[in-house]
Amino acid sequence: MAQALIEVLNLEVRYGGIAAVRGVSFAVEPGEMVCVIGANGAGKTSTLKALARMIPSSGEIHYDHLRVEKMLSHELISKGLALVPEGRGVFARLTIRENLLMGAYHRNDTADIDADLDKIFVMLPRLKEREKQLAGTLSGGEQQMLAIGRAIMGRPKLLLLDEPSMGLAPIMVEKIFEVIKGVAAQGVTVLLVEQNAKLALEICSRGYVMENGRITVADTSANLLADSRVRAAYLGE
Amino acid sequence: MDIFIQQLINGLTTGSVYAVVALGYTMVYGVIQLINFAHGEVVMIGAMVAFSVIVSLAGSGLPPLAIVACGIIAAIPSCMIIGYFLERVAYRPLRHAPRLAPLITAIGMSIILQHLALLVWGRNPIAFPQIIDNPSFAIGGASITGVQIAIILLCFAMMAALTWFVFRTKFGIAIRATAEDVRVAGLMGINANAVIAATFVIGAALGAIAGVMFGTYYGIVHYTMGFILGLKAFCAAVLGGIGNIAGAMVGGILLGLVEAMATGYIGEITDLCRWPGGGTSFLVERCADGGNFVLFGSNYQDVFAFLVLILVLVFRPSGLLGERVAERA
């Protein structure tokens, strides 16, 4: 295996006495697009939150020669690690433009930030039309677009996406996944957590299946899509 | 009519001071949902520090305006340090404690600051030196003083500056982002502790200036003055919608106007001799020859702010400008 961009060893997350993630290990290489699929409550979101230091955890998280578990949430983005949280987390009372600017909060290269804003608006023209509107007025799908655009404004090396399809109409989900593919095509490494296993496996090269806080299967997307257990459990067959 | 205009001017003056103090409550509440009850005491300390500086410079031969400016310049950093200290020592350790704990701590800090001021400046009301010329100008049968004009202009300038800061600068946007969602703001690289400390420090700086204005306007300062002033400014913040910056400004000015108008007219309104049939019964003697029988006089001034607070809490708890946007789509 080549040098991983992020390598997680024996990650555990507990909420009080309940273990949500029970000793998970995985790695993502630079430029890869990897997904974690699994049912509700399998520990997928907790895993991502631990990677972004939003919740405490035990175990090791190696990222780009750094030990993430020893860092604070607000220190990560300047190291290139961005999370688009579950439920999008756009700032409803900020305008769309302000939301995007917050994505670039840690950067001081004003001219490049403006150029990146223009790029985002080219990629997501719906946002350009509503640049000065409050983000709370956007539809769910547009908010998801905004949340991804905002993360991109931080120029991440590794983008963590938590359930970007959640609560969205199928046509919107397709658009969102197009955007994610576009981001990955620009060289950003993507770790995608999804309940929509079919879509996730279609755009990712590899996948992990999580059940009850553990990774039970790890394989290429093609093999997972062909696996009868995966098909029965997650692809509705 | 002249009472009306006079009370309009007086109300605008006190109202703009309330507004500036209310900003201190509302900014902190907006970010960490804490009512910093010690904020009124920060304002008081600002007035006291300025008092000491002005008194010690009074014989120095500096122009009076420069002396008052020195007072303000000394009060601002003093209050900023206290504001920072309050957050760091009293509230930050309780950030994740139940809501009641920091609230009680806030009241405790308020008492501590009051008694520190008692130790330093004594228990008697202190005459605030009136060293600057205070010319009076007549408008429409009423008068406005130079100090009133200065207070109103300065308050509006501060409100404009804060609005610019919060809506147009990167750190200001970060404050609003943190107010909305601390965790997601953290993902953006925003250091929540820095933002929270900044809201305390900015609020305290505004409070310091408000304290000096209050001392100059009323000509008297006292170690307990922060209590009632702080409570009224808190009422103003709730009236406008606590956590909402524009709301604090609108609420403060409105509260000042309501208070001034009510104080100006309550005597007339509650004069039983003016009521229909008032001159008939046992009041005949009292009301003869333009006499009066006033139930409530202008000494009820302090009641109205709290009356407004009760009405707001009953009829519009979110305040005038509170929560116009859906929290989450």
Side-chain angles (χ1 to χ4, degrees), chain B residues 40-106:
Chain B
E41 271 59 47
V42 173
V43 175
M44 175 270 294
I45 302 261
M48 292 297 195
V49 168
F51 159 78
S52 294
V53 170
I54 292 172
V55 166
S56 62
L57 289 178
S60 67
L62 281 170
L65 268 180
I67 293 176
V68 174
C70 286
I72 294 178
I73 289 165
I76 293 173
S78 312
C79 289
M80 288 168 94
I81 290 166
I82 293 171
Y84 180 79
F85 171 84
L86 280 176
E87 195 277 323
R88 193 72 190 78
V89 174
Y91 304 134
R92 193 179 295 182
L94 296 172
R95 188 82 51 78
H96 302 288
R99 291 275 290 278
L100 196 56
L103 191 69
I104 290 168
T105 306

Side-chain angles (χ1 to χ4, degrees), chain B residues 73-220:
Chain B
I73 289 165
I76 293 173
S78 312
C79 289
M80 288 168 94
I81 290 166
I82 293 171
Y84 180 79
F85 171 84
L86 280 176
E87 195 277 323
R88 193 72 190 78
V89 174
Y91 304 134
R92 193 179 295 182
L94 296 172
R95 188 82 51 78
H96 302 288
R99 291 275 290 278
L100 196 56
L103 191 69
I104 290 168
T105 306
I107 294 167
M109 291 316 290
S110 160
I111 295 170
I112 289 173
L113 288 177
Q114 263 191 33
H115 286 81
L116 281 177
L118 172 68
L119 286 174
V120 177
W121 286 284
R123 66 187 168 83
N124 293 317
I126 305 168
F128 201 82
Q130 307 286 302
I131 56 170
I132 39 178
D133 287 334
N134 195 8
S136 210
F137 308 96
I139 20 171
S143 69
I144 185 166
T145 66
V147 165
Q148 284 182 313
I149 295 173
I151 287 175
I152 293 169
L153 290 181
L154 200 55
C155 286
F156 276 85
M158 283 194 281
M159 289 189 257
L162 187 74
T163 307
W164 173 81
F165 174 73
V166 170
F167 285 89
R168 288 286 173 269
T169 67
K170 187 168 143 183
F171 194 71
I173 301 172
I175 291 177
R176 284 157 53 220
T178 309
E180 215 178 304
D181 193 328
V182 178
R183 284 164 168 269
V184 177
L187 293 177
M188 305 291 114
I190 299 166
N191 181 348
N193 281 334
V195 165
I196 291 165
T199 60
F200 275 86
V201 169
I202 294 167
L206 294 173
I209 302 173
V212 182
M213 293 192 294
F214 188 88
T216 310
Y217 186 50
Y218 288 104
I220 206 153

